[in-house]
């Protein structure tokens, strides 16, 4: 059962203007809109205390600081400047929700002097706009008014800290989260961790107890004090946990660059960079600047190859979201009722906390920037991070977790991109005039097939393994100059998106698609798959030729996890790639394969299958083509020598030998999301 309930009220305010020529609505000072928790377009009743008129309209935001309440449209016939008014908004709540819900009420008791321009139907405040007070029972809520009146910042910080600790204990299975984080850190070879939003000490304290070298930081003095009290007098390792109270923009002033393998920023802390400790109203543009600076600081203190784990609210759309939970904490009956009000257009979020312990309720309001997934991923990329992706962590089922890595020096992707940019003209002359760069498949009945034809045969053979048609949408990862993507669209009528980190390749691919008259089916994007920002289940197929081994080893799982996310549940992943059949790397292979082509590691077939399985794929087929790679390099060596590229001819001949010795190989992998 739902009941219509008072949501917010502006009591005995003054009508400052009436505009008959406007479409309708009531315009309200933006400061008062925020204080009352009102949204643009929200339905309201307006009551006139001078003539008894009452009508229903909707609110729109006015300019901050003007003290404006303007009745627009037909309402102007019943309201005049100087009339005292009551503005009321309602909401629908269940009986359980109503028990803990506290409406926002602004009492306008004292009105400063004003004068009225009757000709223009407008009131002007002579010295200042009206001020308001809050009802006695609502004063704990941190709204504009209570912020302005309260000088006891420490009290609000203590209340916030206690409320957050209560929420952590009720909402999360803390033991599961510690297990999940520990597994993630072991998998990513993490040794040193900085929790930049340590809060009440979870999970830093428990991870420290389990032997992890983790440091604590939080800008809330009360929370930091709580943590220090918990570790005082404990065993040496726990008691020695570094505890700091640094703002995120100041990290590099106290922490040396490249100090930590991992930065932990959980609990949806990032949006509150400007409004968490003092509960002030969030200014979106200011918040964006500070958050981006914070991410840059995280990047600085991370060691090369280090990982940032950051989470965010799963509620992104405009609306009202309610989270509530009850249970026993430290032997006391507790209940939390949290209301989140999102305004996507204004990029603002209000968090009303109603927390009850042994029937004693406290309330607090915190404002923050409303961060979307796209905003976060864009900022992380701008800060220099790579491999940005959603990452499931055991126990983390309240917020959405993202991870991102700091590159190890110049990224392998960048080096590879530069290498192929420099080699494009040579490849067109030696490999394929069209620019298709792949080894060839030599059928048993045609062992002397021309190299170009063998290359086309390989692409046709890969395509025959998957079901492409006009309803398909494929992503070609590492698309090069787009020849294969264009061929797929021409031969199967499917939509194809090609992505490649080389601007030179993308420029050429776009030109070729235009020449082929197929730009309605093929598009090209410069970047990596982590930078693509594709929606879930966007593609039916993902295709790649000899590209994925160029991704740094520590980033490959994140890339395959991203592929699994953007593939439909019935989608197909097919790719060919360099492998290491024996898993051995000798001096010959290091010189002629790894250093020349900028590989940091090549997987065996078994390692590749394991990687795919851990990334959410089930491998359906593996086709070892190493002997065809060996034949291809023999032919390429002869072609390079004939074209006058003796050094390249030598490199191809040595690569052919590596294929024969098992230190270099080639295979096709066909897989489906699990």
């Amino acid at each position: 059962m739902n009941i219509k309930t008072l949501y917010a009220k502006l009591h005995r305010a003054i009508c400052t203007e009436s505009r008959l020529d406007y479409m309708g609505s009531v315009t309200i000072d933006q400061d008062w809109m925020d204080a009352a928790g009102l949204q643009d377009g929200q339905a309201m009743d307006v009551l006139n205390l001078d003539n008894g008129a009452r009508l229903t309209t909707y609110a729109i935001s006015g300019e901050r600081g003007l003290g404006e309440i303007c009745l627009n449209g037909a309402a102007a016939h019943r309201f005049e400047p100087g009339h005292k008014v009551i503005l009321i908004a309602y909401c629908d709540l269940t009986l359980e929700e109503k028990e803990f819900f506290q409406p926002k009420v602004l009492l306008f008791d004292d009105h400063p002097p004003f004068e009225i321009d009757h000709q223009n139907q407008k009131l002007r405040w002579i010295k200042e706009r009206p001020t308001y007070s809050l009802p006695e029972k609502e004063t704990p809520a941190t709204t504009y008014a209570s912020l302005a009146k309260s000088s006891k910042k420490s009290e609000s910080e203590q209340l916030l800290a206690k409320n957050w600790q209560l929420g952590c204990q009720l909402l999360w299975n803390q033991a599961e989260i510690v297990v999940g984080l520990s597994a993630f850190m072991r998998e990513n070879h993490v040794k040193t961790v900085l929790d930049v939003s340590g809060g009440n000490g979870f999970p830093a304290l428990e991870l420290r107890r389990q032997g992890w070298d983790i440091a604590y930081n939080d800008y809330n003095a009360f929370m930091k004090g709580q943590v220090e009290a918990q570790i005082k007098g404990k065993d040496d390792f726990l008691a020695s946990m570094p505890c700091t109270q640094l703002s995120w923009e100041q990290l590099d002033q106290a922490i040396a660059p490249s100090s930590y393998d991992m930065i932990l920023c959980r609990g949806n802390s990032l949006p509150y960079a400007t409004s968490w400790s003092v509960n002030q109203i969030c200014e979106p543009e200011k918040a964006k600047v500070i958050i981006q600076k914070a991410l840059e600081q995280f990047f600085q203190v991370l060691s090369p190859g280090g990982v940032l784990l950051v989470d965010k609210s799963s509620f992104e759309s405009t609306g009202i979201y309610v989270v509530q939970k009850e249970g026993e904490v430290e032997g006391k009956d507790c209940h939390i009722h949290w209301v989140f009000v999102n305004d996507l257009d204004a990029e603002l979020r209000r968090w009303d906390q109603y927390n009850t312990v042994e029937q004693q309720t406290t309330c607090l309001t915190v404002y923050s920037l409303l961060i979307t997934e796209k905003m976060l991923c864009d900022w992380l990329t701008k800060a220099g991070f790579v491999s940005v992706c959603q990452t499931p962590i055991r126990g983390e089922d309240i917020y959405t977790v993202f991870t991102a890595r700091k590159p190890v020096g110049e990224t392998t992707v960048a080096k590879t991109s530069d290498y192929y940019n420099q080699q494009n003209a040579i490849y067109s002359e030696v490999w394929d005039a069209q620019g298709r760069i792949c080894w060839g498949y030599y059928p048993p009945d045609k062992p002397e097939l021309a190299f170009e034809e063998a290359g086309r045969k390989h692409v046709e053979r890969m395509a025959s393994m998957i079901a492409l048609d006009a309803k398909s949408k494929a992503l070609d990862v590492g698309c090069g100059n787009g020849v294969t993507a264009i061929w797929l669209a021409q031969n199967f009528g499917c939509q194809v998106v090609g992505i490649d980190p080389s601007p030179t390749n993308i420029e050429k691919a776009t030109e070729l698609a235009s020449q082929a008259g197929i730009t309605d089916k093929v598009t090209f994007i410069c970047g990596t798959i982590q930078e693509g920002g594709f929606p879930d289940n966007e593609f039916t197929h993902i295709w790649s030729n000899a590209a994925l081994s160029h991704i740094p080893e520590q980033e490959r799982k994140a890339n395959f996890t991203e592929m699994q996310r953007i593939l439909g549940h019935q989608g197909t992943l097919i790719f060919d790639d360099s492998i290491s059949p024996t898993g051995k790397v000798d001096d010959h292979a290091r010189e002629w394969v790894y250093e020349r082509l900028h590989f940091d590691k090549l997987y065996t077939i078994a390692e590749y299958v394991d990687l795919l399985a851990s990334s959410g794929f089930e491998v359906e087929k593996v086709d070892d083509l190493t002997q065809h790679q060996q034949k291809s390099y023999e032919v390429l060596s002869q072609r390079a020598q004939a074209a006058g590229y003796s050094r390249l001819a030598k490199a191809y001949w040595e690569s052919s030998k590596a294929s024969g010795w098992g230190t270099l190989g080639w295979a096709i992998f066909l897989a489906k999301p699990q």
Side-chain angles (χ1 to χ4, degrees):
M1 175 180 174
N2 285 0
I3 185 169
K4 190 173 183 179
T5 303
L6 174 66
Y7 175 80
K9 179 167 71 168
L10 280 65
H11 188 72
R12 294 179 65 83
I14 297 288
C15 173
T16 61
E17 187 176 1
S18 54
R19 294 176 55 190
L20 185 63
D21 59 345
Y22 197 79
M23 290 175 60
S25 71
V26 54
T27 306
I28 305 172
D29 187 309
Q30 181 68 64
D31 285 345
W32 299 344
M33 289 274 286
D34 290 339
L38 297 171
Q39 309 295 313
D40 275 333
Q42 188 165 355
M44 301 195 73
D45 283 351
V46 185
L47 290 67
N48 191 320
L49 293 173
D50 288 285
N51 61 22
R54 181 181 186 126
L55 57 85
T56 300
T57 183
Y58 61 94
I60 60 173
S61 300
E63 188 173 342
R64 291 187 187 277
L66 296 184
E68 178 184 21
I69 292 182
C70 176
L71 274 298
N72 302 306
H77 287 295
R78 306 299 300 276
F79 292 80
E80 297 179 4
H83 281 176
K84 290 184 177 65
V85 296
I86 300 174
L87 294 86
I88 305 172
Y90 306 90
C91 63
D92 291 328
L93 299 175
T94 65
L95 292 177
E96 289 182 345
E97 290 172 339
K98 183 181 181 301
E99 182 180 356
F100 299 99
F101 182 76
Q102 185 71 43
K104 300 289 185 184
V105 178
L106 311 184
L107 304 177
F108 292 83
D109 297 318
D110 299 317
H111 300 111
F114 60 84
E115 61 184 20
I116 299 177
D117 179 352
H118 291 285
Q119 182 176 355
N120 294 309
Q121 287 292 290
K122 190 169 184 178
L123 176 151
R124 183 179 70 84
W125 302 108
I126 294 175
K127 293 185 178 180
E128 59 183 358
R129 61 174 175 168
T131 58
Y132 61 85
S133 61
L134 302 177
E136 185 73 19
K137 63 181 179 180
E138 200 176 354
T139 52
T142 312
T143 62
Y144 272 116
S146 58
L147 277 171
K149 294 179 180 180
S150 175
S151 61
K152 297 181 179 179
K153 172 184 170 183
S154 61
E155 291 183 3
S156 64
E157 287 194 344
Q158 291 180 29
L159 180 60
L160 177 62
K162 291 176 180 177
N163 286 356
W164 179 244
Q165 184 170 4
L166 179 66
C168 287
Q169 291 174 295
L170 278 179
L171 288 176
W172 281 280
N173 184 327
Q174 297 188 355
E176 285 286 288
I177 291 176
V178 170
V179 170
L181 288 173
S182 296
F184 176 82
M185 291 189 290
R186 282 193 298 271
E187 183 178 327
N188 287 273
H189 312 292
V190 170
K191 294 181 179 178
T192 56
V193 186
L194 173 63
D195 188 347
V196 294
S197 54
N200 57 19
F202 177 79
L205 286 173
E206 192 56 41
L207 289 170
R208 186 83 177 182
R209 289 189 182 99
Q210 296 195 11
W212 290 100
D213 186 2
I214 187 167
Y216 168 96
N217 178 76
D218 200 284
Y219 197 54
N220 184 302
F222 183 76
M223 286 184 172
K224 175 176 174 284
Q226 282 187 316
V227 172
E228 289 176 325
Q230 291 182 68
I231 65 176
K232 185 177 181 181
K234 303 296 183 183
D235 65 82
D236 290 343
F237 185 66
L238 183 60
S240 64
M241 182 174 73
C243 292
T244 54
Q245 186 188 344
L246 300 170
S247 69
W248 290 339
E249 309 100 282
Q250 300 171 334
L251 289 181
D252 64 350
Q253 297 179 22
I255 301 173
S258 305
S259 293
Y260 292 97
D261 298 330
M262 180 172 168
I263 299 289
L264 195 59
C265 183
R266 59 174 303 281
N268 192 38
S269 299
L270 196 65
Y272 298 95
T274 63
S275 58
W276 177 252
S277 64
V278 296
N279 306 322
Q280 64 197 30
I281 301 302
C282 176
E283 300 176 31
E285 295 309 315
K286 179 181 177 181
K288 290 178 185 178
V289 172
I290 291 177
I291 290 171
Q292 290 179 69
K293 286 182 179 178
L295 294 174
E296 292 170 2
Q297 290 287 293
F298 299 167
F299 187 88
Q300 288 298 321
V301 301
L302 269 178
S303 58
V307 62
L308 167 66
L309 186 150
V310 57
D311 63 13
K312 63 173 290 297
S313 170
S314 302
F315 306 141
E316 287 197 355
S317 303
T318 294
I320 299 175
Y321 304 88
V322 177
V323 175
Q324 56 182 344
K325 186 76 176 289
E326 60 184 15
E328 189 174 285
V329 176
E330 298 176 355
K332 298 178 180 179
D333 291 331
C334 301
H335 182 281
I336 62 171
H337 182 92
W338 291 350
V339 180
F340 301 95
V341 182
N342 288 358
D343 184 344
L344 190 58
D345 292 335
E347 300 179 318
L348 286 171
R349 181 188 195 219
R350 194 182 83 236
W351 175 17
D352 295 331
Q353 306 172 20
Y354 304 95
N355 300 275
T356 302
V357 179
E358 296 291 299
Q359 299 184 346
Q360 295 294 315
T361 301
T362 59
C363 53
L364 190 72
T365 296
V366 185
Y367 297 85
S368 77
L369 184 69
L370 179 58
I371 297 181
T372 65
E373 178 179 334
K374 186 178 187 307
M375 289 165 66
L376 177 59
C377 293
D378 287 348
W379 292 342
L380 289 168
T381 302
K382 183 178 179 181
F385 288 99
V386 295
S387 300
V388 179
C389 64
Q390 283 190 31
T391 304
I393 301 292
R394 180 174 172 179
E396 291 280 20
D397 52 5
I398 301 295
Y399 297 133
T400 304
V401 178
F402 289 81
T403 57
R405 289 191 179 277
K406 181 176 180 176
V408 183
E410 185 183 8
T411 65
T412 302
V413 171
K415 291 178 181 177
T416 304
S417 177
D418 289 343
Y419 173 80
Y420 282 108
N421 286 343
Q422 297 165 9
Q423 299 292 319
N424 269 338
I426 297 175
Y427 277 120
S428 295
E429 188 172 353
V430 175
W431 287 63
D432 187 328
Q434 285 189 307
R436 179 184 286 110
I437 303 173
C438 63
W439 301 291
Y441 176 78
Y442 297 88
D445 58 336
K446 295 181 179 179
E448 300 304 321
L449 201 64
F451 180 74
E452 291 87 350
E453 184 60 30
R456 286 189 285 272
K457 181 69 70 175
H458 167 63
V459 173
E460 292 169 357
R461 188 166 176 270
M462 277 185 67
S464 70
M465 298 179 184
I466 57 177
L468 282 170
D469 57 32
K471 296 180 180 179
S472 303
K473 184 174 183 180
L475 175 66
D476 185 357
V477 179
C479 65
N481 61 13
V483 172
T484 298
I486 293 170
W487 182 85
L488 291 172
Q490 289 174 325
N491 284 269
F492 298 95
C494 56
Q495 295 289 323
V496 184
V497 176
I499 189 166
D500 194 279
S502 165
T504 303
N505 281 342
I506 294 302
E507 182 179 353
K508 180 64 175 176
T510 303
E511 179 185 342
L512 290 176
S514 178
Q515 292 174 359
I518 201 165
T519 54
D520 59 325
K521 291 188 177 297
V522 183
T523 56
F524 295 100
I525 300 171
C526 186
T528 66
I529 190 169
Q530 293 292 335
E531 299 165 350
F534 301 113
D536 292 354
N537 306 321
E538 177 72 2
F539 299 99
T540 60
H541 298 77
I542 293 181
W543 173 292
S544 183
N545 288 123
L548 303 183
S549 52
H550 291 299
I551 298 171
E553 182 192 0
Q554 69 268 25
E555 299 172 18
R556 291 181 195 172
K557 182 176 180 180
N559 276 262
F560 280 112
T561 301
E562 177 70 358
M563 293 182 198
Q564 198 266 359
R565 181 185 70 81
I566 63 179
L567 259 183
H569 298 303
Q570 303 300 318
T572 300
L573 167 65
I574 189 167
F575 65 95
D576 66 9
D577 206 10
S578 297
I579 60 170
S580 176
T582 63
K584 297 179 181 179
V585 182
D586 56 23
D587 291 340
H588 176 272
R590 187 171 290 107
E591 177 183 0
W592 294 104
V593 178
Y594 287 79
E595 292 180 3
R596 182 176 72 87
L597 295 174
H598 306 293
F599 294 141
D600 58 0
K601 178 178 173 60
L602 293 179
Y603 290 130
T604 64
I605 287 177
E607 287 173 331
Y608 237 139
V609 170
D610 288 344
L611 174 64
L612 288 164
S614 68
S615 304
F617 285 99
E618 181 178 354
V619 176
E620 295 191 344
K621 182 177 182 179
V622 179
D623 192 359
D624 189 340
L625 300 176
T626 301
Q627 63 178 354
H628 297 273
Q629 181 189 52
Q630 182 181 9
K631 170 73 173 178
S632 296
Y633 270 131
E634 289 176 0
V635 174
L636 286 168
S637 178
Q638 297 168 8
R639 291 162 69 100
Q641 190 66 49
Y645 300 112
S646 57
R647 170 71 180 173
L648 188 60
K650 169 71 171 172
Y652 288 157
W653 182 251
E654 298 298 335
S655 296
S656 175
K657 289 173 14 181
S659 298
W661 294 339
T663 54
L664 177 63
W666 181 35
I668 296 174
F669 296 84
L670 178 66
K672 299 271 190 179
Q674 292 178 351

